[in-house]
Amino acid sequence: MKQGFLPGDEARASIVAAMDQVRLACGATGVLLASTSDDLTATVEISRSSLSALRSGDSLVIRRLPRVQRSILGGSSNSKTGYQTDVVHLEKPPYVEFSTQLLTMGPIKSIFLRSFEVDKEGFFVCLYANKAMNLPQDALVMTVEMLTLHCENALRLRNTLQKVTQKLDFVENKASSDELTGLLNRYGFTLAIQREQRRRERYPMPVSIFVFDLDGLKTINDTYGHQAGDQYIQRFATLLGQTCRAIDFTARLGGDEFAVLAPHTDSTSAQQMASRLRRVFTESQVPVSFGFASDDAGSTSIDDLIVVADAQMYANKQSRRLLQRREVG
């Protein structure tokens, strides 16, 4: 399927419940819902039957999709009020080939198969049995039709919810990202801190925080223009992103201020990370002042660590300025 069911998906739970009810009511060997691809291979998304029959994830080979046979219930063929359905009853089905490895209960005697489409994706509902079912044909046709309608509505609702979720994720990503660098902005970084703090309150774990301040950005802006300053910021952001781990949260807090939240990082690992950052910045000739703070026991809040790291960063900046003055003097 183009869009699979998600864990805990309410649409899936609803479909499974409906299929169970239909199977029990009809006395069928199994009921399945499958999606069809262009090569006429159907992948079973959900199936509910006896343990020796089809299971979720099994594959079927569709020799050819059944022709639509119109059956009018509640009226004659000339009636405009009759209920129309394209459910087809196949006594000797040449269309669906059940693997002998999947079905060991003997030949299939009857199949009620109803195809439908949701957002241009093909599906079919299949009710099959290797014996006579409990309901007469008209009732079976109506049952399959109602099950199909239920599946169609559930799948359409699922697709709609997935599209809404994707749009919300996009909006949240735009709202929490820095447009110039692609890193988290201050809002996104605050959200990351809040999530990490909640996790640490439940499962105490080490964490480290780094804060950075680019040296000389104002001079670059005044001398070469803000476009050059933006390129300088982007270069630093790239270095920061390449040096940090995938699990770290890197952010541009504004202007020349940056920060990194490093989960599962104790003081020893933070020292190693700081050494690695200094080496990268020195080799890349990007002067930057930074400080960091760690909590190994999981007892200090991340906000308090930021205060410590920020103070260390300012102390580092002052010492660098004094060193520069001595070198110039």
Side-chain angles (χ1 to χ4, degrees):
M1 294 175 63
K2 297 176 182 177
Q3 301 182 54
F5 286 94
L6 301 176
D9 192 339
E10 293 184 2
R12 174 173 186 164
S14 175
I15 291 173
V16 168
M19 294 172 74
D20 276 340
Q21 293 175 4
V22 167
R23 180 175 61 86
L24 293 173
C26 299
T29 302
V31 184
L32 64 90
L33 168 67
S35 62
T36 55
S37 58
D38 294 337
D39 61 359
L40 299 185
T41 299
T43 300
V44 178
E45 185 62 42
I46 297 175
S47 87
R48 272 296 196 260
S49 59
S50 61
L51 294 178
S52 59
L54 288 166
R55 300 162 304 196
S56 178
D58 291 336
S59 294
L60 305 175
V61 176
I62 308 299
R63 291 303 184 189
R64 60 188 176 92
L65 292 177
R67 298 177 183 176
V68 174
Q69 294 185 3
R70 292 292 177 181
S71 174
I72 296 181
L73 307 178
S76 65
S77 59
N78 297 325
S79 172
K80 295 182 180 180
T81 60
Y83 182 77
Q84 287 192 338
T85 173
D86 61 356
V87 174
V88 60
H89 178 227
L90 307 174
E91 287 293 348
K92 296 181 179 179
Y95 310 107
V96 183
E97 182 181 273
F98 290 92
S99 170
T100 55
Q101 295 179 346
L102 301 178
L103 273 182
T104 59
M105 298 183 65
I108 299 300
K109 299 295 184 181
S110 60
I111 289 182
F112 286 79
L113 189 147
R114 166 71 153 90
S115 59
F116 64 99
E117 191 174 274
V118 175
D119 296 338
K120 298 182 180 181
E121 184 177 3
F123 295 89
F124 67 79
V125 169
C126 184
L127 176 69
Y128 61 94
N130 60 354
K131 61 181 180 180
M133 297 194 209
N134 298 339
L135 301 178
Q137 179 173 331
D138 288 353
L140 287 169
V141 169
M142 182 66 74
T143 299
V144 174
E145 181 67 15
M146 296 304 296
L147 175 61
T148 301
L149 181 62
H150 181 88
C151 293
E152 185 176 353
N153 290 336
L155 291 168
R156 184 167 284 111
L157 177 61
R158 176 209 63 177
N159 289 356
T160 300
L161 291 176
Q162 287 182 340
K163 290 176 182 177
V164 170
T165 301
Q166 290 170 357
K167 288 181 180 179
L168 290 175
D169 289 343
F170 175 78
V171 171
E172 182 178 353
N173 182 62
K174 291 289 288 184
S176 59
S177 298
D178 176 61
E179 186 174 358
L180 180 62
T181 64
L183 303 180
L184 294 174
N185 58 20
R186 184 177 293 274
Y187 170 72
F189 194 62
T190 300
L191 292 181
I193 289 174
Q194 291 173 349
R195 287 193 293 265
E196 188 64 22
Q197 187 61 43
R198 286 195 295 268
R199 278 196 291 266
R200 296 178 76 239
E201 290 171 356
R202 296 182 60 187
Y203 310 104
M205 62 185 70
V207 70
S208 295
I209 194 85
F210 293 76
V211 293
F212 307 84
D213 192 272
L214 278 174
D215 295 338
L217 179 61
K218 185 177 184 304
T219 302
I220 293 176
N221 284 332
D222 294 342
T223 306
Y224 303 103
H226 286 280
Q227 183 175 0
D230 288 347
Q231 293 174 349
Y232 184 59
I233 290 172
Q234 289 172 329
R235 183 186 176 196
F236 173 77
T238 299
L239 288 173
L240 192 61
Q242 291 174 343
T243 308
C244 293
R245 304 167 302 177
I247 65 170
D248 296 333
F249 298 94
T250 57
R252 181 191 178 202
L253 304 183
D256 55 2
E257 300 177 18
F258 292 79
V260 173
L261 172 63
H264 306 286
T265 305
D266 57 19
S267 54
T268 301
S269 299
Q271 288 281 358
Q272 296 171 350
M273 184 173 175
S275 298
R276 186 167 64 252
L277 287 166
R278 289 192 191 96
R279 184 177 66 254
V280 169
F281 297 149
T282 300
E283 292 175 352
S284 303
Q285 297 183 338
V286 178
V288 57
S289 302
F290 73 93
F292 65 95
S294 304
D295 175 33
D296 294 355
S299 57
T300 305
S301 73
I302 296 177
D303 288 335
D304 290 341
L305 292 178
I306 292 176
V307 173
V308 176
D310 209 40
Q312 190 182 110
M313 183 273 292
Y314 277 111
N316 180 242
K317 181 173 285 290
Q318 290 298 326
S319 64
R320 290 166 64 86
R321 285 176 177 173
L322 288 174
L323 182 61
Q324 288 175 353
R325 288 172 185 172
R326 290 172 184 173
E327 292 175 349
V328 171

